Amino acid sequence: MKRIGCFAVIFICLFGAGTPTLADGAPTVFVSILPQKFFVQQISGDLINVEVMVPPGASPHTYEPKPSQMRKLAESRAYFTIGVALEEAWLDRITRINPEMMVVHTEAGIDRMAMSGDHHHEGEQAETDEHGHEQGEQAEGGLDPHIWLSPMLVKQQAEVIWTSLEALDPENAAAYKTNFQRFSDRIDELDGQLKRVLEGKKGMKFMVFHPSWGYFARGYELVQVPVEIEGKSPKPAHLRSLIELARREQITVIFAQPQFSRKSAEVIAREIGAQVVLIDPLGENWFENMTVVANKLEAALR
Ligand code: ZN
């Protein structure tokens, strides 16, 4: 008897420790990327367990789920898509394992634009397929998936998340509504802050290795100049033309992100005396991340 009791204590310590704040019997839902986990948790609080498909440091353009994730997906109540390539490749398989699961397309209703950099380099058209397969972005018809980097688009996604959580768990509808309202207000605040910070920077250009910041740039009237072409590092000739462009446009900042190579950004930066700013568009603390980006742009654009 004593021994069993002891095992029970160990069991609780090992398996209970990871989720101490979750409500009893909290349903599990899945999202594709970390910022989405943040969005769902802003609205769900501790009432829902949120699992993420793409772990920190991995790219949503190339990631393949692990068998342990597929097992958890079989029990998941909902999947919140956002339009990244891995969904295109896996969602069918996932819904076959778990036909009861609610699939919520948070990107629905968002008018997505063409991925920046796709028609930048006319001579390389032939590589689209090979490359698109590798990076996955062509699978979405070349549409830009990075809708989580625009506060106003995140507000739209948050509304979809809110109404879906209500449908999933009507008992807690009041809590979801309150949380959504608070999140929505904070997004408005952030948007106002970004507008103020970037006010005098309209039309200014910044370079970025992987063009994740298209919607952000559009929202605050900045211009994103991609280094990567169709998901590839530039060849020497293209790199030279980028250096000339950067010099001509007096570009002072080049963004790079941990999921992609920093090499060409560093080469260009060295040539023109710009700084490379490492920024992670997939960082989990979205509010903090957006503020960091705005501050770095404010400091660098002149
Ligand atoms: Zn991307």
Side-chain angles (χ1 to χ4, degrees), residues 1 33 99 161 169 174 176 194 213 225 268 284:
M1 266 327 243
I33 56 172
I161 294 168
D169 179 23
Y176 299 137
L194 292 175
W213 299 91
V225 180
I268 300 169
E284 184 171 346

Side-chain angles (χ1 to χ4, degrees), residues 1-288:
M1 266 327 243
K2 219 170 185 185
R3 197 175 268 173
I4 290 167
C6 187
F7 273 132
V9 170
I10 291 167
F11 185 83
I12 289 163
C13 289
L14 284 178
F15 297 94
T19 53
T21 52
L22 272 184
D24 275 349
T28 291
V29 302
F30 261 81
V31 297
S32 293
I33 56 172
L34 279 166
Q36 282 183 288
K37 179 183 180 184
F38 186 84
F39 304 154
V40 175
Q41 282 181 332
Q42 290 293 307
I43 301 164
S44 72
D46 61 2
L47 297 167
I48 304 272
N49 172 40
V50 187
E51 296 277 343
V52 188
M53 284 290 261
V54 183
S59 168
H61 301 300
T62 50
Y63 186 72
E64 298 193 354
K66 295 189 178 64
S68 61
Q69 289 179 303
M70 292 307 273
R71 281 195 295 276
K72 278 187 191 168
L73 278 160
E75 322 246 284
S76 180
R77 295 282 308 279
Y79 194 111
F80 292 90
T81 69
I82 191 163
V84 290
L86 94 111
E87 295 159 5
E88 191 100 6
W90 288 88
L91 204 59
D92 269 0
R93 254 173 284 187
I94 294 166
T95 48
R96 243 176 285 143
I97 305 171
N98 185 352
E100 314 269 271
M101 183 179 71
M102 178 197 272
V103 177
V104 181
H105 292 279
T106 65
E107 76 280 15
I110 291 175
D111 206 5
R112 283 179 297 166
M113 57 191 191
M115 185 73 183
S116 173
D118 276 355
H119 26 229
H120 203 94
H121 217 64
E122 292 80 72
E124 287 185 353
Q125 223 65 295
E127 288 172 0
T128 304
D129 279 352
E130 174 211 337
H131 192 58
H133 186 71
E134 189 197 327
Q135 292 291 333
E137 259 159 17
Q138 301 304 317
E140 296 141 20
L143 292 179
D144 187 343
H146 307 95
I147 53 172
W148 63 93
L149 296 170
S150 150
M152 284 305 111
L153 295 185
V154 169
K155 210 167 135 172
Q156 256 175 276
Q157 294 161 62
E159 198 164 338
V160 177
I161 294 168
W162 162 46
T163 52
S164 310
L165 289 181
E166 255 186 10
L168 189 82
D169 179 23
E171 260 181 54
N172 290 306
Y176 299 137
K177 189 179 180 182
T178 311
N179 293 346
F180 165 74
Q181 203 49 61
R182 193 180 45 219
F183 185 35
S184 174
D185 290 347
R186 277 192 74 190
I187 295 175
D188 285 338
E189 240 170 76
L190 171 74
D191 180 56
Q193 205 183 321
L194 292 175
K195 279 185 180 139
R196 277 193 302 280
V197 165
L198 299 169
E199 173 74 78
K201 316 285 185 188
K202 285 194 179 120
M204 287 192 179
K205 295 189 169 76
F206 62 97
M207 254 186 186
V208 47
F209 181 77
H210 177 68
S212 305
W213 299 91
Y215 298 104
F216 179 92
R218 188 177 66 180
Y220 302 101
E221 296 177 65
L222 302 170
V223 182
Q224 161 184 257
V225 180
V227 170
E228 167 198 88
I229 292 302
E230 291 168 358
K232 275 194 177 158
S233 286
K235 296 199 169 76
H238 181 221
L239 197 56
R240 270 195 303 279
S241 71
L242 277 173
I243 291 167
E244 278 159 34
L245 172 75
R247 202 170 272 140
R248 203 165 53 237
E249 299 289 349
Q250 296 177 312
I251 279 170
T252 50
V253 60
I254 306 173
F255 284 145
Q257 74 183 77
Q259 294 83 4
F260 294 91
S261 161
R262 249 169 280 171
K263 231 162 102 206
S264 29
E266 274 158 9
V267 170
I268 300 169
R270 214 172 26 243
E271 285 290 324
I272 62 167
Q275 55 162 325
V276 174
V277 171
L278 194 64
I279 198 95
D280 187 2
L282 292 161
E284 184 171 346
N285 191 333
W286 182 77
F287 276 123
E288 196 180 286

